[in-house]
Amino acid sequence: MKKQNDGERVEGLSIAYIGGGSRGWAHTLMIGLALEERLSGAVRLFDIDFESARVNAAIGNRLHDRPDAKGKWRYEAVKTIGEALTGADFVVLSILPGTFTEMHSDVHTPEKYGVYQSVGDTVGPGGAVRALRTIPIYAGFAESIRKYCPDAWVINYTNPMTLCTRTLYETFPQVKAFGCCHEVFGTQEDVAEMLRRFRGIEGVDRGEIHTNVMGVNHFTWIDRINYKGEDLMPFYREVAEKHAAEGFCRESETNWMNSYFTSMNRVKFDLLRRYGLVAAAGDRHLAEFMPPWYLKDPETAAKWKFSLTPVDWRIAERKKQDERQTRLVEGREDLELRQTGEEGVLQIMALLGLGDLVTNVNIPNIGQIEGLPPGAVVETNALFSRDSVRPVYAGRLPGDVQSLVMRHVLNQENLLRASFAGDRRLALNAFAGDPLLSGLDIAQIEALFGEMTRNTKAYLPEWCVAS
Amino acid sequence: MKKQNDGERVEGLSIAYIGGGSRGWAHTLMIGLALEERLSGAVRLFDIDFESARVNAAIGNRLHDRPDAKGKWRYEAVKTIGEALTGADFVVLSILPGTFTEMHSDVHTPEKYGVYQSVGDTVGPGGAVRALRTIPIYAGFAESIRKYCPDAWVINYTNPMTLCTRTLYETFPQVKAFGCCHEVFGTQEDVAEMLRRFRGIEGVDRGEIHTNVMGVNHFTWIDRINYKGEDLMPFYREVAEKHAAEGFCRESETNWMNSYFTSMNRVKFDLLRRYGLVAAAGDRHLAEFMPPWYLKDPETAAKWKFSLTPVDWRIAERKKQDERQTRLVEGREDLELRQTGEEGVLQIMALLGLGDLVTNVNIPNIGQIEGLPPGAVVETNALFSRDSVRPVYAGRLPGDVQSLVMRHVLNQENLLRASFAGDRRLALNAFAGDPLLSGLDIAQIEALFGEMTRNTKAYLPEWCVAS
Amino acid sequence: MKKQNDGERVEGLSIAYIGGGSRGWAHTLMIGLALEERLSGAVRLFDIDFESARVNAAIGNRLHDRPDAKGKWRYEAVKTIGEALTGADFVVLSILPGTFTEMHSDVHTPEKYGVYQSVGDTVGPGGAVRALRTIPIYAGFAESIRKYCPDAWVINYTNPMTLCTRTLYETFPQVKAFGCCHEVFGTQEDVAEMLRRFRGIEGVDRGEIHTNVMGVNHFTWIDRINYKGEDLMPFYREVAEKHAAEGFCRESETNWMNSYFTSMNRVKFDLLRRYGLVAAAGDRHLAEFMPPWYLKDPETAAKWKFSLTPVDWRIAERKKQDERQTRLVEGREDLELRQTGEEGVLQIMALLGLGDLVTNVNIPNIGQIEGLPPGAVVETNALFSRDSVRPVYAGRLPGDVQSLVMRHVLNQENLLRASFAGDRRLALNAFAGDPLLSGLDIAQIEALFGEMTRNTKAYLPEWCVAS
Amino acid sequence: MKKQNDGERVEGLSIAYIGGGSRGWAHTLMIGLALEERLSGAVRLFDIDFESARVNAAIGNRLHDRPDAKGKWRYEAVKTIGEALTGADFVVLSILPGTFTEMHSDVHTPEKYGVYQSVGDTVGPGGAVRALRTIPIYAGFAESIRKYCPDAWVINYTNPMTLCTRTLYETFPQVKAFGCCHEVFGTQEDVAEMLRRFRGIEGVDRGEIHTNVMGVNHFTWIDRINYKGEDLMPFYREVAEKHAAEGFCRESETNWMNSYFTSMNRVKFDLLRRYGLVAAAGDRHLAEFMPPWYLKDPETAAKWKFSLTPVDWRIAERKKQDERQTRLVEGREDLELRQTGEEGVLQIMALLGLGDLVTNVNIPNIGQIEGLPPGAVVETNALFSRDSVRPVYAGRLPGDVQSLVMRHVLNQENLLRASFAGDRRLALNAFAGDPLLSGLDIAQIEALFGEMTRNTKAYLPEWCVAS
C-alpha cells in the first residue's frame, strides 16, 4: 500500500524499526502511533534477536482493534534489514551495541582505576569504547539506507547519539537523519513545575516553555527560557540559588535515592552558578562531561544527589521487562494508551507536512552554533516542515562553556576518524582526552584502554583491541 | 506608563514611528493595531514634515473610541526624533528619502540613456542613487537608536530595504533590527489562488503556503513550496508553463494595464523556466535585478505585461491621498478595520512572547544562506520569539542564481562602503556594476551618474556630486 | 632509472609531457631543462598527434650532445597516456582543446553578434565554449594521473587555466597540481623597464620586483610592488598617469600594431585609475574580463592600442612553426640555449628541494584570498619547497575589484558544474553571465550559444549542443 | 634624522625598545645590530626602571666606536614611553610583568597543591596569572602605539607570547605586530646536529633545515622537515626511537642536570611517538601544555630528563647579571660581537625591503591553520617582505594534536576576554581549564586561584583578586 497524504491524514505510512526487539522505546512508539488518529500504516521490526522483534510485533498488533487506539497500525517482524528498510518512509534506529556484558565493562572496569561513571554510554571511558563498537554498526546501517531507502527520514535514538548520527552522515552524506533525545524536555518540565510550585501557575505544558538550546547531546546549554511574555532566566536562577543545597526535582519523579534515573539537579544548579547557563540534561549525564568534580567517587555523587547506575540493576530490570513482554503478548496486561506528546510522532507528522514544529534535534553543524566545527553533530532547535529539518541559528556559546563542549566535540571527531581509519593510536589519544580521566597518568590510561577493549573485544573491530 | 505583559496581553506598549507622516503604511499599522485586542499603548509619530505626522496622529486617535477597534492606542506627533525614540519598545522606520523631485530623477533620468526602470527604488541606477541619499540618514537613525532606545526592536519598511537595514547594523552592531517586506506574501497568495482556480480548493490562507525563501529583498527565490502534505513545486511549475504566454494574476488584482503595481508574473515564470526556482517578488522588482532583458524599453515591459511606474503618477496619487487625509481627520471618511493579518503586528506580538512565528525577514547573513558573504543583509525565514529573531537555515542558491544575487550583494556592499568612506570612485564603480546598465559604455555610465547626482544633490552628501 | 637526489643535483628525473607535440612551450621546456645543470633525466611526450610528439622528441634529443646543454635529457614520444604517466615525477599539461576550426568559432562567431574578443581562450563566449570542450578532457587527465602517478606534481599551462586546474582538483582532490602562467612576470618586467627608462636604474631583474598578486588567472591584481626598500606603487601610478594617453611598452616588444601579442598597457592604466590596483596581465586578456568597454569593436580596441588576434593568423603562424620543426629535426636550425629563467624549471627545482621559491601560481583557494569562495582556483603567491606548494596569504580585494572578479569566479564554477552534470541550462546561464555579452539580449545570447556549440560539436559533449 | 633607504642599506632607523632595562635580550639586540653593516640609527630605551635602561644605553654606546661594530647605533634611555615611541620605525617589546616576587608565586605556589611547573610563564597556573598581569599592560602599550607610532612594526618577545600579541591586536586591530620566539630554531639546530652526529654531514646551518610549523607559541608542531632534497621526518623518527630512553641534546648545550634550560628531548620524542609530529619547543615548555604526565612531581620530570627552573635560581642569576652590567658599563668587560644570525634583525631587514625571509612567527590566524579559530594568535611560517608579514598556509593539525592545542587556544581566549571584561568568574574557569590542574578538584582549583591572585595582587587588576 502506497502512502496517501491528503494534508489532513496520512495512510499507508511505512516505518522501519531497527532494533525493534527493544522493550522500552518500542512501546513508546507504539503508544504514540496508536494515539495519533491522523496516521496509519505498517511498522516493520528488525532485530538481530528476531524473537524479541516478533514479540513486539505481537504486542503492537494487539493494539489494532482496541477502540482507544485511534491510529491503526500493522506490525511485522522481519528477518533482514533489507526487508525492513525497503519502501520505508521513516527509519527508527534504536539499538543496544553489544550486550550487558560489554556495558558492564564500559561502566565498571574504570572503577578499578578510580574512575566512576553514572551512565557510561555517551562520553567518558565507557562512552568512548561503546562508540568504537557502535560506529561500524552505524556505518553499516548507513550503507543499507543508501541501498534500500535513500529518501527515507532516519530518526536515531541510540547512544552515543552524537556519534551515531555523525556516522550516518560520514558514510552517506545525503542521508536525511537526525538524532532525537528527551533530556531537554526534562528541563522544560522542571521549569513548568517550578512555575507551579513557586508561583502557583498550574497547567503549564512543557511545550509552552521555549528554550534556546546549544551544545552536544547530553551536554546542551540553554541561554534563553521564555514563557509567554517573560524571560524566565532570572526566575530559574533564583530557584537554582535557593535550592542549591537541597536540590529540586519534579513531584512525579521517584526520590533519587531510590531511582537510578532521577537526580536533584544539584550539578545543574552548580554549573549554572559557575558558567551562567542552564545545562539541559540530567545530572547523571552532565557530570560525565566534566572533570571528575562531581564523580570523584560514589560518595561525591551522593553528595550531589545523583546515582551511579549499576549494570547489574539494568540486568535485573531487563528480566522484569521480559516477563512483562510475555504478559503483554499473552494479553494478561495491556499497554496503557496515555497521551505523552511523543516528540518522535510529532516530528514524523511535521515531516509529512501535517504542521510545522520547532524542537531540538541533533544534526551536523552548518552554522547553527558559531564557534563549533562545521559538520560536527550538535543539538539546537530546528524547524521541521514537510520533508525538511532546518536548524535555527542558536548563537555562540560563552567562551568557557565553548571550551568544555569543544573538548568533547574534538574527542568524538577523533573517535570517528580512528574508527573509520582503524587507527588505534588515534583512538587511544581520543580516549585519553576525556576529562573524566583527568586524574590518571598516561600509563594508567593506556592500561585501562587495553583492559576495556579486551573485555569487549567480541563486539569491537580487531585493530582496536590491544594484543 | 510602563509596559505590562502578562503573557496574554501587553498594555502600555510604546512604539516610535519614524516617517510617521506617511499616507500609506501609517494607516496599515493603525488598522493592524486596532484589530489586535491583545495589544495597547502609545505610538509617537515623528516626521520631518511635522504637520503630516500631526494629521496622522489625529486620524489614529479617532480610532480609539470606535467599538470595532479592539486594540486601544494613543497617537502623538512629536517634534524631535529623541522624543519619539525615548522609551520606545519598538521603532518603525518608514521614510521617503528625499522628495518626488529626487525620485523623478532616479526613475526617469536614465531613460535619456535608454535605461528603463519599473520602480527605481531598490537597485538599478535609481536604487543606487536613492541608496546614496538614504545611507547617511539611516546612519543617523542608528546613532539615535543607540542613544535613546538601544534595546528597542527596529522594524524597517523603507527601500532600499537591504541597505537601510545594513546601515543600521554597520553603525550600531548591537541594534535589534530587521527589514520587513510583503513581496513574498504576494507569491504565497498567488499559490493560494492557483489552488482555488486550478484545483478547486477554496479558502486557503497564504499562511498555509509554506515557502523556503533565500536571496536579497525584492530578489528572493523559493525552492520549496509546501501546502499541507504536498510539495507544490511541480504544481507551480505546471501552472507557470501553461500560463507562460498569457501570465497569471489574482482576481483581486487590478488589470496590470490599469495598474502600476500589478503584473502578470510572466517575468517570474520566465525566470522559473531559466533558473528552476520561483522568484518571489513582483515582476516590476524582479526585472530590475536582471540585465535589461525584460526592461529594454517600455514595449518590452509591455510584452512581459508589467508597467513602468511613472513618478508623475505617484505625484498625482499623493494629491488624492492628501485629500483623503483631510477627510479622515475631519471624520468625513473612516478607516476601514478589516483583518489583514498585518505581518508587522504579528512580528511585534511574537517578539513580546505572545506566540512564536516563522516568517521571512531581512537581517545580516550569519550562515542562513551559504555562499553569500557574512554580514550582508539577506532575506530568509526566521523564528520570531520573545525578544529574538533567529534565522532558519535556508540553504545555498543554485550556482546560476547565486551569481545573479551575488552581483547585487557586492554592489550594495560597495555602495555602503562608498557612502561611509565618502569615496566617489567606489560609488561610481558600484553604480557601473548594475546589470541594468549593461548596454552602456563606461563614458555613458559616468555621464549618467554625474547627471543623476547633480539632479538630486540637495539630498546627497557633497562628495558624491560631480563638480 | 630511479630518481637520485643528493640535495645538490637530481638525476633520473622523469617528466611526462601531455600535449607534447606542441610547437611552442615544448621548446621552452627543452631549453629550460638544457640550461639547468642540476637536473637530468627523461621526458616522455604524449600527444593525440603522435607524429608531432615524435618530432619534438627528435628535436629534444638533438640537444643531448651539445656542449652548451648542461642538463642532459632523453626525450621519447609514447603512444598512450599511461606510458607517459607511469613513473612520472612531474606531469606537464599543455594542450590545444580541439583544433583551429573550433578556435575560429570561439573567437569569430561572436563577432556576428557584435561581440569582439582579443584572445577568446579564457573568458568571454570563446573562453566558455573552450572550457566546455576542455573540462571533460581534463577530468580524463585527472583520472589517469590518479591511476598512473598519483604522487606526481602536475603543472598545467593550458587555457582556460583556472578551469583546467579546477577540473583536476574536482576529479581527483588529492592531485598535486598547479597552474603556471607568465602574465604577471610581464608586469614585473614592465616595472623593471620603467625603472630603467624613467629612473636610469639599469639591470633590474624582474625577480627583484616583488609583487603581491590576487585574482584569477589573466585577471590578477597587484596591490603592492616592492623594489628593494621602496614601495613602487606611487612610481607606477605616476608613470601610468603620464602615459595614460600614449601608453607604454617594453623596448623589446614589437610595436603593438604589428603584433598580436603586444599592447600598450592603456587598458591596464585605465583600470588602475578606476580601481586603484595594477591589473597584472596583458591588455588583451584584461579587456575580455570587463564589460565591452574596451572591446566594443575593433576600432575601440585600436583606440586602446591592442589587437584582436585573428585565428587565421594563428593558422598561418602554425604553418611557419611546422616548417621550423622540420628544420630543427633535420638539424638545419638549432634551438638557441639562452637563459630565460623559465619559471617551470625553477618550480620543479624547488619542489625537489633545491631551493625555496616564492612565485605566483594558480591553486584552489584555501583562504589566500579572503572573500572569494573556498575551492575556487585563484592566483596568488605561494611558497614552493620540497614536495609542497603553500599559498601565501594575499589579502582581500577592494570591494569593486572583488565584484569584477567574483562574477568570473562564479561563472567559471557554473561552467564546471554544468559540465560535470551535463546541464545545458546551467551552461547557458553561465555563458549568459559573461560581461562581454552585456549588450546582447537573452534571445541573442541563446542564439549565439546555439551557434557556437553547433560549430564546435565535434569536440563538445553531446548534451551541450543545441539540437 | 629621517630614515634613508637606498635598497642596499638603511640609515637613520629609529627603534623603540620597551623594557629596555633588560639584562638579556637587550644585549642580543645590540650585538645583532652591531654586526649588521647595512643598518644604522638610534635605539631609545624605555623601562619603568629608568636606571637599568640608562645602564644599557651606556653599554650600547660603547659599541659605537669599536672597529668590529659594523652597524653604527646611538642608544638613549628615555623617561616616558611616548618619547620612546614617537617616530619609531620599529618597536621592540620585552618586559617582565611584575617582579620575581610575583614570578615566585606563579611558579611555586601551585607546588603546595601538588602542581609542578618547569617554567610557569606561558600556560599552567603560573602562565594564567602572569597573563592576567600582562594583558592590561599590553593594552596600554597598544594604546600608546596607536597614539605615537601607529605605522611602526612591533616585535614582541615577552611571555606569554600568544596573549601579549593577541592583546595588541584586540586593542588596536591595525597594529603591525608579531611575536618572535627562538624555540623552533632550537629544533632546527637539533636536526642539524643529528645530521652531523649520525650521518657525518658537517656544517649544516639551521636555516637549511626547512620546517612547516603549526600551533601556538611553545606548543608548535612540525609535520615536515626538509633538508635539501630530502624529507627528514623518517630520519628524525628513527633518531627519536633510538634515543627514546637516553634522550638527545646538542653538544654545545650544558648537561641538563646542571642547567635549567637544557633538556634531553625525551618529552619531545615521547610526543612524537604518541602523536606523530615533532613538537618544536623545549621539553620544559612542552610538558606544561600536557596533562601532568611529564610533570607529576620533580622525580617524574627528572625521569624525563628536564628540570624545573626555581625562581630563586633566577634571582641569584639576576645578581650576577647586574654585576656584569656594571663591568660592561665601566669597560671592564666587552660584549662579544659574534655572529648569531639573530632573527629579529633579519626580520627588520626584510621589513625594510632588504631581502625576503620565510620564518616562523606569531600572528592572528587568518586561515594559516585550518581548524583553529580565526583571530587566535598562532605560530606558523610567514613571508616577510617590505612592510608586510604574510602567513604561509600551514595546513591542519591531526585531530588529536588539534584537540591538545585547541584547549589552550580557548583557555587563552577566555583569559583575554576575562581580562578585558573584568570577569573573575571567566578568569577562574579559564584557569580551571588548564590541563596541568587535571588532578585537582574544583575546590582546590578555587583555593589555588585565590591564593595566587592574592600573592600577586600588587600587579593584578583589582577585580581579579579574591576578597
Side-chain angles (χ1 to χ4, degrees), chain B residues 219-295:
Chain B
F219 202 46
T220 46
W221 299 77
I222 288 176
D223 64 349
R224 290 248 182 161
I225 308 175
N226 293 327
Y227 167 68
K228 295 190 169 167
E230 187 182 354
D231 171 10
L232 284 191
M233 284 294 285
F235 168 68
Y236 191 101
R237 275 203 191 89
E238 195 189 305
V239 172
E241 249 170 78
K242 268 198 205 143
H243 297 75
E246 78 273 26
F248 169 92
C249 78
R250 300 194 295 278
E251 287 184 3
S252 62
E253 295 180 294
T254 320
N255 183 297
W256 75 272
M257 297 192 64
N258 305 324
S259 160
Y260 289 121
F261 293 112
T262 309
S263 79
M264 291 302 285
N265 288 313
R266 288 197 66 216
V267 173
K268 191 185 277 87
F269 293 170
D270 193 56
L271 291 174
L272 174 62
R273 184 174 65 84
R274 296 190 175 283
Y275 294 97
L277 302 189
V278 179
D283 281 11
R284 293 160 61 251
H285 285 302
L286 297 174
E288 294 187 338
F289 281 81
M290 300 296 295
W293 300 347
Y294 307 104
L295 272 169

Side-chain angles (χ1 to χ4, degrees), chain A residues 49-82:
Chain A
D49 172 3
F50 176 72
E51 183 54 24
S52 291
R54 213 196 45 74
V55 166
N56 269 336
I59 294 171
N61 284 326
R62 289 188 70 92
L63 287 172
H64 193 272
D65 297 324
R66 278 171 55 173
D68 54 347
K70 298 169 197 154
K72 298 304 182 188
W73 291 84
R74 288 293 173 197
Y75 291 84
E76 181 190 3
V78 295
K79 294 208 166 161
T80 64
I81 196 169

Side-chain angles (χ1 to χ4, degrees), chain C residues 5 7-8 210 212 223-224 226 228-231 352-353 356 358 366 370 383 385-388 390-395, chain D residues 5 7-8 210 212 223-224 226 228-231 352-353 356 358 366 370 383 385-388 390-395:
Chain C
N5 185 342
E8 306 296 344
H210 296 269
N212 186 55
D223 66 349
R224 290 244 183 164
N226 293 327
K228 295 192 170 170
E230 186 182 354
D231 171 11
L352 290 167
D356 282 8
V358 173
I366 197 158
E370 269 188 279
L383 174 64
S385 55
R386 200 197 63 78
D387 199 28
S388 83
R390 298 176 180 277
V392 174
Y393 176 69
Chain D
N5 185 342
E8 307 295 344
H210 296 270
N212 186 55
D223 64 349
R224 289 248 183 161
N226 293 328
K228 295 191 171 170
E230 186 182 356
D231 171 11
L352 289 167
D356 282 9
V358 172
I366 197 158
E370 268 189 280
L383 173 64
S385 57
R386 201 198 61 79
D387 201 28
S388 84
R390 299 176 181 277
V392 174
Y393 175 70

Side-chain angles (χ1 to χ4, degrees), chain D residues 118-398:
Chain D
S118 24
V119 189
D121 70 349
T122 306
V123 290
V129 172
R130 183 179 171 114
L132 293 169
R133 291 199 302 275
T134 312
I135 293 168
I137 300 172
Y138 265 67
F141 289 166
E143 290 297 357
S144 296
I145 290 162
R146 188 206 304 263
K147 184 172 171 189
Y148 294 111
C149 54
D151 291 327
W153 279 94
V154 180
I155 312 179
N156 178 61
Y157 291 93
T158 308
N159 286 332
M161 171 68 77
T162 303
L163 277 169
C164 287
T165 310
R166 181 73 183 80
T167 299
L168 296 175
Y169 279 92
E170 180 73 11
T171 309
F172 174 31
Q174 286 75 37
V175 73
K176 288 150 59 171
F178 57 91
C180 179
C181 173
H182 294 66
E183 294 284 325
V184 171
F185 308 151
T187 303
Q188 294 166 340
E189 278 163 12
D190 285 349
V191 176
E193 177 133 344
M194 289 173 183
L195 284 173
R196 190 180 67 72
R197 212 184 297 174
F198 306 118
R199 284 225 189 142
I201 306 175
E202 299 286 340
V204 178
D205 186 79
R206 75 150 173 88
E208 294 176 88
I209 307 300
H210 296 270
T211 53
N212 186 55
V213 173
M214 31 184 181
V216 291
N217 183 248
H218 291 166
F219 202 46
T220 45
W221 298 76
I222 288 176
D223 64 349
R224 289 248 183 161
I225 308 175
N226 293 328
Y227 168 68
K228 295 191 171 170
E230 186 182 356
D231 171 11
L232 284 191
M233 284 294 285
F235 168 68
Y236 192 101
R237 276 203 189 89
E238 196 190 304
V239 172
E241 249 170 77
K242 268 198 208 146
H243 298 74
E246 78 274 24
F248 169 91
C249 78
R250 299 194 295 279
E251 286 184 3
S252 61
E253 294 180 294
T254 321
N255 183 296
W256 73 273
M257 296 191 64
N258 304 323
S259 159
Y260 290 121
F261 292 111
T262 309
S263 79
M264 292 300 287
N265 288 313
R266 289 199 65 218
V267 172
K268 191 186 278 88
F269 292 170
D270 194 56
L271 292 173
L272 175 62
R273 185 175 64 88
R274 295 190 174 283
Y275 294 98
L277 301 190
V278 179
D283 281 12
R284 292 160 61 250
H285 285 302
L286 297 173
E288 293 188 338
F289 281 81
M290 300 297 295
W293 300 347
Y294 308 104
L295 272 170
K296 192 177 173 188
D297 45 38
E299 297 68 41
T300 302
K303 207 188 73 182
W304 289 101
K305 299 197 179 178
F306 67 96
S307 298
L308 314 186
T309 315
V311 175
D312 285 344
W313 175 84
R314 288 188 191 268
I315 293 169
E317 199 66 9
R318 167 65 66 97
K319 200 165 283 176
K320 292 189 212 159
Q321 290 170 335
D322 283 344
E323 290 160 11
R324 183 173 180 235
Q325 288 290 89
T326 309
R327 291 198 302 276
L328 288 166
V329 150
E330 295 175 354
R332 288 181 288 130
E333 180 178 336
D334 286 326
L335 289 179
E336 187 184 356
L337 296 186
R338 201 167 25 113
Q339 190 51 266
T340 60
E342 171 47 37
E343 202 75 5
V345 174
L346 296 178
Q347 290 165 341
I348 286 173
M349 299 224 297
L351 291 168
L352 289 167
L354 303 184
D356 282 9
L357 176 71
V358 172
T359 190
N360 57 298
V361 75
N362 294 273
I363 45 176
N365 191 21
I366 197 158
Q368 61 266 49
I369 305 185
E370 268 189 280
L372 293 186
V377 167
V378 295
E379 188 163 337
T380 66
N381 285 329
L383 173 64
F384 284 69
S385 57
R386 201 198 61 79
D387 201 28
S388 84
V389 176
R390 299 176 181 277
V392 174
Y393 175 70
R396 177 183 272 276
L397 287 161

Side-chain angles (χ1 to χ4, degrees), chain B residues 79-230:
Chain B
K79 295 209 164 161
T80 64
I81 196 169
E83 287 169 86
L85 296 178
T86 303
D89 300 305
F90 291 89
V91 179
V92 169
L93 301 176
S94 174
I95 68 161
L96 177 66
T99 70
F100 283 138
T101 307
E102 283 70 37
M103 196 191 285
H104 195 282
S105 170
D106 291 350
V107 176
H108 299 296
T109 301
E111 296 176 355
K112 296 164 56 178
Y113 294 74
V115 174
Y116 294 88
Q117 297 169 95
S118 23
V119 190
D121 70 349
T122 305
V123 291
V129 172
R130 183 180 171 114
L132 292 169
R133 293 200 301 276
T134 312
I135 292 168
I137 301 172
Y138 265 67
F141 289 167
E143 290 296 358
S144 296
I145 289 162
R146 188 207 304 263
K147 181 172 173 190
Y148 294 112
C149 54
D151 291 327
W153 278 94
V154 180
I155 313 179
N156 178 61
Y157 290 93
T158 307
N159 285 333
M161 171 67 76
T162 303
L163 277 169
C164 288
T165 309
R166 180 72 183 80
T167 300
L168 296 174
Y169 279 92
E170 179 72 11
T171 310
F172 174 31
Q174 287 76 36
V175 73
K176 289 151 56 172
F178 57 91
C180 179
C181 173
H182 293 67
E183 293 286 323
V184 171
F185 309 151
T187 302
Q188 294 166 339
E189 278 163 13
D190 285 348
V191 176
E193 179 133 343
M194 288 174 184
L195 285 173
R196 190 181 67 71
R197 212 186 295 173
F198 305 118
R199 283 225 189 142
I201 306 175
E202 299 286 340
V204 179
D205 186 80
R206 76 150 171 89
E208 295 176 88
I209 307 299
H210 297 269
T211 51
N212 186 56
V213 173
M214 31 184 181
V216 291
N217 183 248
H218 292 166
F219 202 46
T220 46
W221 299 77
I222 288 176
D223 64 349
R224 290 248 182 161
I225 308 175
N226 293 327
Y227 167 68
K228 295 190 169 167
E230 187 182 354

Side-chain angles (χ1 to χ4, degrees), chain C residues 122-412:
Chain C
T122 306
V123 291
V129 172
R130 183 180 171 114
L132 292 169
R133 291 199 303 275
T134 313
I135 293 169
I137 300 172
Y138 265 67
F141 288 166
E143 290 297 357
S144 297
I145 290 162
R146 189 207 305 262
K147 183 172 172 192
Y148 296 110
C149 55
D151 291 325
W153 279 94
V154 180
I155 313 180
N156 178 60
Y157 290 93
T158 308
N159 285 333
M161 172 68 75
T162 303
L163 276 169
C164 288
T165 310
R166 180 74 183 79
T167 300
L168 296 175
Y169 279 93
E170 181 72 11
T171 309
F172 175 31
Q174 287 75 37
V175 73
K176 288 151 57 172
F178 57 91
C180 179
C181 173
H182 294 67
E183 294 285 323
V184 171
F185 309 151
T187 303
Q188 293 166 341
E189 277 163 12
D190 285 348
V191 176
E193 177 132 344
M194 288 174 183
L195 284 173
R196 189 179 68 72
R197 209 183 300 171
F198 306 118
R199 283 224 187 143
I201 307 176
E202 299 286 340
V204 178
D205 185 81
R206 76 151 174 86
E208 294 176 87
I209 307 298
H210 296 269
T211 52
N212 186 55
V213 173
M214 27 184 184
V216 290
N217 182 249
H218 291 167
F219 203 45
T220 45
W221 298 76
I222 288 176
D223 66 349
R224 290 244 183 164
I225 308 174
N226 293 327
Y227 169 67
K228 295 192 170 170
E230 186 182 354
D231 171 11
L232 283 191
M233 284 294 284
F235 167 69
Y236 192 100
R237 275 202 191 88
E238 197 190 303
V239 172
E241 249 170 76
K242 268 198 208 145
H243 298 75
E246 78 274 26
F248 169 93
C249 78
R250 299 194 295 279
E251 285 185 4
S252 61
E253 294 180 294
T254 321
N255 183 297
W256 74 271
M257 296 190 66
N258 304 325
S259 160
Y260 290 121
F261 293 110
T262 310
S263 80
M264 291 300 286
N265 288 313
R266 287 198 66 216
V267 173
K268 191 185 277 89
F269 292 170
D270 194 55
L271 291 173
L272 175 62
R273 184 174 65 86
R274 296 190 175 283
Y275 294 96
L277 301 189
V278 179
D283 282 11
R284 293 160 62 251
H285 285 301
L286 297 174
E288 293 188 336
F289 281 82
M290 300 297 296
W293 300 347
Y294 308 105
L295 272 169
K296 194 179 172 184
D297 45 38
E299 296 69 41
T300 302
K303 208 188 73 183
W304 288 101
K305 299 195 179 178
F306 68 95
S307 299
L308 314 188
T309 315
V311 174
D312 286 344
W313 176 85
R314 289 189 192 265
I315 293 168
E317 199 65 10
R318 166 64 67 98
K319 201 165 284 180
K320 291 189 214 161
Q321 291 170 335
D322 284 343
E323 291 161 11
R324 183 173 181 236
Q325 289 290 90
T326 309
R327 292 197 302 277
L328 288 165
V329 150
E330 297 176 352
R332 288 182 288 127
E333 180 178 337
D334 286 325
L335 288 180
E336 185 184 359
L337 296 186
R338 201 169 23 114
Q339 189 52 265
T340 60
E342 171 47 37
E343 203 74 5
V345 175
L346 297 178
Q347 290 165 341
I348 286 172
M349 299 225 296
L351 291 169
L352 290 167
L354 303 184
D356 282 8
L357 176 70
V358 173
T359 189
N360 56 297
V361 76
N362 294 273
I363 45 176
N365 191 22
I366 197 158
Q368 60 267 49
I369 305 186
E370 269 188 279
L372 293 186
V377 167
V378 296
E379 186 164 337
T380 66
N381 285 328
L383 174 64
F384 284 68
S385 55
R386 200 197 63 78
D387 199 28
S388 83
V389 176
R390 298 176 180 277
V392 174
Y393 176 69
R396 176 182 272 278
L397 287 161
D400 41 6
V401 180
Q402 183 192 18
S403 180
L404 298 176
V405 173
M406 181 71 91
R407 190 167 172 186
H408 291 286
V409 166
L410 297 181
N411 273 349
Q412 289 176 323

